[in-house]
Amino acid sequence: MKIMLISGSHREHSQSEKVTRCIAQSLLDNQQATETEVFSLAGNPLPLWDEGIWNGEAKWQTILNPLSEKLASSDGFVIIAPEWHGQVPSGLKNFFLLWGAGELAHKPALIVGVSSSDGGAYPVAELRMSSYKNNRICYIPEQLIVRNVESILNADNSKNNPDADRYFRERIVYAGGILSAYATALKGVRESGITATDTFRNGM
């Protein structure tokens, strides 16, 4: 089982990427995935959507085809979204505009909100409301909101709040198990053929 993790921060060496890599390792350590891959939006490497994506322009194929193959080969996803001004970063919202060929469709995803304080809930609500319609990603009911992120999940334990760090590590394992179970279940749904989207390519 392959789980792909999308770190939604544009910033280099971000707290979101720290969280992403911690979750990726947890999935492997707890045998909730046999393979993980991290894709980071640090530096905002994906250009803003334009109509060339649907016209097969070479610049888009060069950029997107390798990533499309990785997404298509994944059984589930973890979407890590820092809260910027109460919103999902623009690069992450742009990411969801780019996939209309079934790469994400009918595959489970765990949303992870990240906040340096007590926030982090707004990105969860935003992603659940407006990021799934045409790509048909399936957000599972479980979610994580990693608050006061600077004080947890650090490799140097002296920088961690012991109680909070222990809680979030345990919660990551719990959420990872649910994601893994959904990935197993939804694979059968996709293989049934009932999710074919040639007739209804876009959600309502």
Side-chain angles (χ1 to χ4, degrees):
M1 179 181 296
K2 177 181 175 182
I3 302 295
M4 191 162 181
L5 301 93
I6 312 300
S7 178
S9 176
H10 308 180
R11 297 172 56 209
E12 301 285 352
H13 311 298
S14 68
Q15 292 292 320
S16 293
E17 188 164 344
K18 177 189 79 175
V19 172
T20 302
R21 297 195 181 280
C22 180
I23 295 173
Q25 190 61 52
S26 177
L27 289 167
L28 295 174
D29 291 346
N30 291 282
Q31 299 181 329
Q32 295 164 341
T34 55
E35 179 183 356
T36 60
E37 179 156 353
V38 171
F39 178 72
S40 175
L41 288 169
N44 201 18
L46 297 175
L48 293 177
W49 181 94
D50 67 49
E51 291 182 349
I53 189 173
W54 309 128
N55 298 330
E57 289 184 5
K59 69 170 186 177
W60 278 110
Q61 291 182 353
T62 299
I63 295 168
L64 296 184
N65 284 359
L67 183 53
S68 176
E69 291 173 4
K70 292 178 180 180
L71 293 167
S73 68
S74 298
D75 299 295
F77 304 97
V78 181
I79 308 299
I80 295 87
E83 185 173 273
W84 288 5
H85 294 268
Q87 304 173 69
V88 172
S90 58
L92 183 55
K93 291 304 291 287
N94 181 61
F95 171 86
F96 286 106
L97 299 177
L98 303 177
W99 314 112
E103 297 93 343
L104 310 180
H106 307 288
K107 296 178 181 180
L110 169 68
I111 297 175
V112 181
V114 176
S115 174
S116 61
S117 60
D118 292 329
Y122 286 115
V124 175
E126 185 177 350
L127 288 172
R128 289 193 184 281
M129 180 176 68
S130 64
S131 65
Y132 68 91
K133 185 177 83 72
N134 289 349
N135 60 59
R136 291 181 163 94
I137 197 169
C138 294
Y139 292 122
I140 66 174
E142 187 64 24
Q143 62 202 30
L144 294 169
I145 302 177
V146 182
R147 297 184 166 114
N148 299 300
V149 66
E150 286 90 350
S151 64
I152 59 171
L153 307 180
N154 296 299
D156 182 352
N157 282 329
S158 68
K159 297 180 180 179
N160 290 327
N161 176 318
D163 291 339
D165 184 71
R166 181 172 56 254
Y167 170 80
F168 277 104
R169 289 182 189 274
E170 291 175 354
R171 191 81 191 221
I172 285 168
V173 174
Y174 171 72
I178 294 174
L179 175 64
S180 180
Y182 269 90
T184 298
L186 286 182
K187 184 176 181 180
V189 173
R190 295 192 304 277
E191 290 176 348
S192 73
I194 199 170
T195 63
T197 57
D198 289 342
T199 304
F200 302 108
R201 293 187 59 85
N202 295 327
M204 291 185 71

